[in-house]
Amino acid sequence: MSEQNRYELNKNLAQMLKGGVIMDVTTPEQAKIAEAAGAAAVMALERIPADIRAAGGVSRMSDPKMIKGIQDAVSIPVMAKCRIGHFAEAQILQAIEIDYIDESEVLSPADDIFHINKREFDVPFVCGAKDLGEALRRIEEGASMIRTKGEPGTGDIVQAVRHMRLMNQEIARISSLREDELFNRAKELQVSYDLVRFVHDNKKLPVVNFAAGGVATPADAALMMQLGAEGVFVGSGIFKSGNPAKRAAAIVQAVTNYTDAKLIAKLSEDLGEAMVGINEQEIALLMAERGK
Amino acid sequence: MEIGKPQIGVLAVQGAFIEHERILKSLGAEVFEIRQLRDLDRHLDGLVLPGGESTVQGKLLRDLGLFEPLRKKIAEGLPVLATCAGAILLAEKIAGESRTHFATLPAIIRRNAYGRQLGSFFTENEVAHVGIVPQTFIRAPFFESVGNEVEVLSRTASSNTTDAPERIVAVRFRNQIALSFHPELNSDTSIHRYFLGLAER
């Protein structure tokens, strides 16, 4: 199969995930709870971001055996994270036939200059971005799906909101440029003219764009969807809360009917304790600053 | 509402529904999204069940109270175009699983039948009544067997290996058209035109 066909198929899988919630899980049991609650896919990892943050130290790709256990437990797509620039970890994830690789700032970066050349891979990649330049650079490298970086493991939505708004503003600005101004914009963003041209003509990214980082409640999910996210990743927000199954199902419904405040009000009742969370001013490590 | 335009509801609880909407609008249909029960108050000439995750769609259909009203309409003959996850919702039996959803299509379907994302493929092949169409398979199902009254519209082999067997990937039973692949992901509109032909009758 041609490289172009494979890339199209990988972008297509992200299209199928739209309007869905992708949930972080650490065990096959959690994966089954997530699937039953309506997760469109699960992200298999040994520790959720909140615990990575608490434990400190170097954080790496998860044990393949643990990931395979989750692949066996559910029928929905299974994603897993590798470190930024760690193409050997990505090769391992491809070897166990993962459905999507997240080249993620949540793990400790393996390379402080180069991201993975994702065009070399047959499996798809999702990457985080906090502005349009980062998003287009990741797409140029072969990412077939983008998510906001947010600030993982905090339960604080402010960064995801900031990243989504900034991306939308930059897309709007490119759409309003004259055609002869696009060449310079491409130079400023350090990406090819063709990508900038696509954004100019279509007023959107050429791949699906999800929200991630800090989503903890149905209202958070509805906020991100109204700001233009095409779906939502929920990391620590579910299994760090009092009633994971109920909260997960409520977030799934909120993403489908994100403008129906009456319904979301009902969904938000009696969810038990939300994850405690930390404000961005209180944390020493800003994961969103990893990988530009 | 304009007289004469077919009114097509697109199930929009999760998945790739916007792609269907775009094509149907370009063909002159009036399109609306079905996200909750009140969306079913209006007249329906046809229904699209899009791709996505069938587990998610099946759960949301029930949680949002859409399941029984839609099942009844399909069973009573409402024209349906179902792609991938949508076809799984229609099948009377899902291989290896005890649960079913609408179960209005006498067929056994197998989920993720070509394996994980690495098994996804693109090809072009004949669909009866329609002609040669692009066929995009994403973690796709296929039909293991179909009932006597079900017409097989297309049999296709995976393009990932040279000796892959041909599988049933498109069927029609009365007014239900069910496909393993995604006609909404390509610019070819012939499958949607075929469906609108049923809805306009």
Side-chain angles (χ1 to χ4, degrees), chain A residues 263-286:
Chain A
L263 177 71
I264 298 171
K266 215 172 94 203
L267 293 170
S268 303
E269 285 180 9
D270 294 325
L271 290 182
E273 207 171 324
M275 70 177 287
V276 176
I278 24 173
N279 293 304
E280 69 165 330
Q281 297 83 356
E282 299 166 356
I283 51 179
L285 174 67
L286 280 175

Side-chain angles (χ1 to χ4, degrees), chain A:
Chain A
M1 182 171 313
S2 74
E3 193 186 309
Q4 188 53 35
N5 263 349
R6 184 49 65 189
Y7 185 55
E8 285 303 318
L9 292 169
N10 287 341
K11 286 201 289 186
N12 291 157
L13 176 57
Q15 284 173 274
M16 295 307 139
L17 297 171
K18 283 190 300 182
V21 181
I22 299 167
M23 303 181 193
D24 279 4
V25 297
T26 58
T27 62
E29 292 68 36
Q30 284 186 356
K32 282 183 182 152
I33 292 171
E35 183 178 44
V42 291
M43 177 76 69
L45 70 177
E46 270 162 355
R47 278 192 298 219
I48 55 176
D51 291 336
I52 291 174
R53 202 173 268 295
V58 174
S59 179
R60 308 177 180 89
M61 178 188 79
S62 299
D63 181 341
K65 187 176 173 188
M66 170 264 166
I67 298 169
K68 283 197 263 183
I70 288 170
Q71 286 176 316
D72 291 341
V74 295
S75 63
I76 54 180
V78 177
M79 304 182 166
K81 292 181 194 290
C82 72
R83 285 179 266 178
I84 289 174
H86 206 315
F87 51 83
E89 284 186 349
Q91 288 162 358
I92 291 166
L93 292 174
Q94 173 160 282
I96 61 170
E97 297 194 20
I98 203 77
D99 291 302
Y100 242 99
I101 296 176
D102 185 357
E103 186 184 16
S104 178
E105 68 283 1
V106 169
L107 306 182
S108 305
D111 194 315
D112 52 8
I113 297 173
F114 300 105
H115 279 72
I116 295 170
N117 176 4
K118 293 166 275 287
R119 298 180 185 211
E120 281 188 339
F121 288 77
D122 287 330
V123 293
F125 280 81
V126 55
C127 288
K130 59 186 189 322
D131 54 39
L132 182 64
E134 283 188 10
L136 293 181
R137 289 194 288 278
R138 299 297 85 79
I139 293 166
E140 192 106 274
E141 293 156 3
S144 47
M145 180 179 185
I146 292 293
R147 55 172 175 75
T148 60
K149 282 178 170 172
E151 193 51 41
T154 61
D156 186 359
I157 197 70
V158 65
Q159 299 241 13
V161 167
R162 189 183 297 152
H163 300 162
M164 189 58 78
R165 279 194 188 271
L166 180 57
M167 190 120 53
N168 290 341
Q169 287 162 4
E170 290 180 306
I171 289 172
R173 212 163 71 228
I174 284 191
S175 308
S176 69
L177 291 181
R178 279 164 54 101
E179 277 188 41
D180 57 5
E181 295 168 341
L182 297 178
F183 299 97
N184 188 58
R185 192 72 189 117
K187 191 176 72 185
E188 288 168 353
L189 293 173
Q190 305 165 42
V191 294
S192 67
Y193 167 76
D194 288 346
L195 277 180
V196 173
R197 182 67 202 246
F198 182 95
V199 174
H200 174 267
D201 293 353
N202 296 279
K203 297 184 171 59
K204 64 187 288 294
L205 293 179
V207 302
V208 166
N209 187 17
F210 269 46
V215 177
T217 66
D220 288 346
L223 174 69
M224 296 311 300
M225 292 298 286
Q226 290 190 39
L227 286 174
E230 295 179 280
V232 172
F233 283 84
V234 187
S236 316
I238 289 172
F239 289 99
K240 273 283 162 194
S241 74
N243 188 343
K246 193 171 178 191
R247 181 168 295 267
I251 292 175
V252 168
Q253 278 202 55
V255 166
T256 296
N257 282 293
Y258 58 89
T259 55
D260 186 341
K262 265 192 185 158
L263 177 71
I264 298 171
K266 215 172 94 203
L267 293 170
S268 303
E269 285 180 9
D270 294 325
L271 290 182
E273 207 171 324
M275 70 177 287
V276 176
I278 24 173
N279 293 304
E280 69 165 330
Q281 297 83 356
E282 299 166 356
I283 51 179
L285 174 67
L286 280 175
M287 290 174 174
E289 292 306 316
R290 292 166 162 176
K292 297 287 171 74

Side-chain angles (χ1 to χ4, degrees), chain B:
Chain B
M1 145 182 172
E2 286 176 51
I3 307 289
K5 272 192 172 187
Q7 313 282 304
I8 307 296
V10 178
L11 184 69
V13 295
Q14 191 271 326
F17 44 85
I18 290 164
E19 292 80 350
H20 280 288
E21 292 170 21
R22 227 173 268 147
I23 294 180
L24 290 166
K25 280 181 196 158
S26 79
L27 296 174
E30 188 159 324
V31 180
F32 62 97
E33 295 186 346
I34 300 170
R35 290 174 187 264
Q36 44 184 273
L37 197 51
R38 65 164 179 249
D39 297 328
L40 291 180
D41 290 345
R42 51 189 288 185
H43 173 74
L44 256 184
D45 292 316
L47 170 69
V48 172
L49 302 175
E53 281 302 320
S54 62
T55 53
V56 182
Q57 296 178 358
K59 178 172 195 311
L60 282 165
L61 281 168
R62 290 172 175 89
D63 288 352
L64 295 164
L66 288 165
F67 183 80
E68 192 48 36
L70 281 179
R71 192 201 62 75
K72 195 156 164 277
K73 281 178 196 287
I74 298 167
E76 286 169 354
L78 177 71
V80 183
L81 174 64
T83 58
C84 197
I88 295 164
L89 295 182
L90 289 183
E92 229 169 49
K93 176 151 182 43
I94 303 171
E97 298 184 20
S98 53
R99 75 183 144 178
T100 58
H101 302 285
F102 294 129
T104 50
L105 173 71
I108 302 176
I109 202 164
R110 177 168 292 278
R111 295 177 60 207
N112 304 332
Y114 301 91
R116 298 184 177 280
Q117 173 61 5
L118 284 172
S120 294
F121 65 99
F122 171 84
T123 187
E124 290 181 297
N125 199 11
E126 174 89 19
V127 173
H129 314 300
V130 176
I132 304 259
V133 297
Q135 298 186 340
T136 302
F137 294 83
I138 306 293
R139 284 174 49 95
F142 59 65
F143 297 93
E144 288 195 338
S145 64
V146 296
N148 288 335
E149 282 185 71
V150 176
E151 183 187 4
V152 173
L153 301 177
S154 187
R155 285 191 167 83
T156 299
S158 165
S159 61
N160 281 341
T161 50
T162 47
D163 54 347
E166 288 196 336
R167 306 289 193 180
I168 301 172
V169 297
V171 301
R172 177 171 165 191
F173 173 65
R174 296 177 185 157
N175 277 341
Q176 303 170 46
I177 304 166
L179 314 171
S180 303
F181 56 91
H182 294 278
E184 75 281 12
L185 295 177
N186 304 102
S187 53
D188 187 296
T189 59
S190 48
I191 298 247
H192 289 84
R193 274 185 274 135
Y194 176 55
F195 163 64
L196 286 179
L198 293 186
E200 277 164 352
R201 256 194 270 158

